[in-house]
Amino acid sequence: MIPARPLPEWMPSEAAGAAVLETGRWWDAVRQRDLEGLVTVEALRRRGPVIRNQVNGTFAWLIPIGAADGWSLPDHTEVLSGGRRLAVPAASLVHTAWTGGLGVAGPATSWYVRPEGDCLTDPDALHRALHVAAAAPR
């Protein structure tokens, strides 16, 4: 069995729960509205960690800095780079149903797909998945 790689230094501790981190330091992020995000997660076949923020109804993928420069993006999708902020949950906060109350049934911000390794999603695969999801019938 291959041992799991340690998580990156920027990952919030379990005690912290979550932290608001600045993009462009360790990674950039691609954020997408809930409905489109769910379709993109499935188009990626759940490869690559993804953060779900149930308060603002978004999904976010972490990608290498500058990887999305020049991308054409579908509606309801944005790149967060160069000093924008993103709530990042501790690795232990994995998606559960949220009922709108803090600590009621799960955290408001959690990993929808569990983080591992460097916690980055392959940017080429993500870019393709964003466009596959945009073309999917609703």
Side-chain angles (χ1 to χ4, degrees), residues 67-128:
D69 291 352
W71 280 9
S72 64
L73 294 171
D75 290 343
H76 312 295
T77 305
E78 64 178 326
V79 175
L80 306 177
S81 61
R84 302 275 305 270
R85 297 172 106 28
L86 181 71
V88 176
S92 60
L93 296 177
V94 179
H95 178 70
T96 56
W98 183 65
T99 59
L102 295 176
V104 175
T109 300
S110 60
W111 291 96
Y112 193 76
V113 176
R114 184 179 298 280
E116 53 187 38
D118 64 8
C119 301
L120 302 181
T121 297
D122 176 300
D124 294 329
L126 176 59
H127 192 219
R128 284 190 301 274

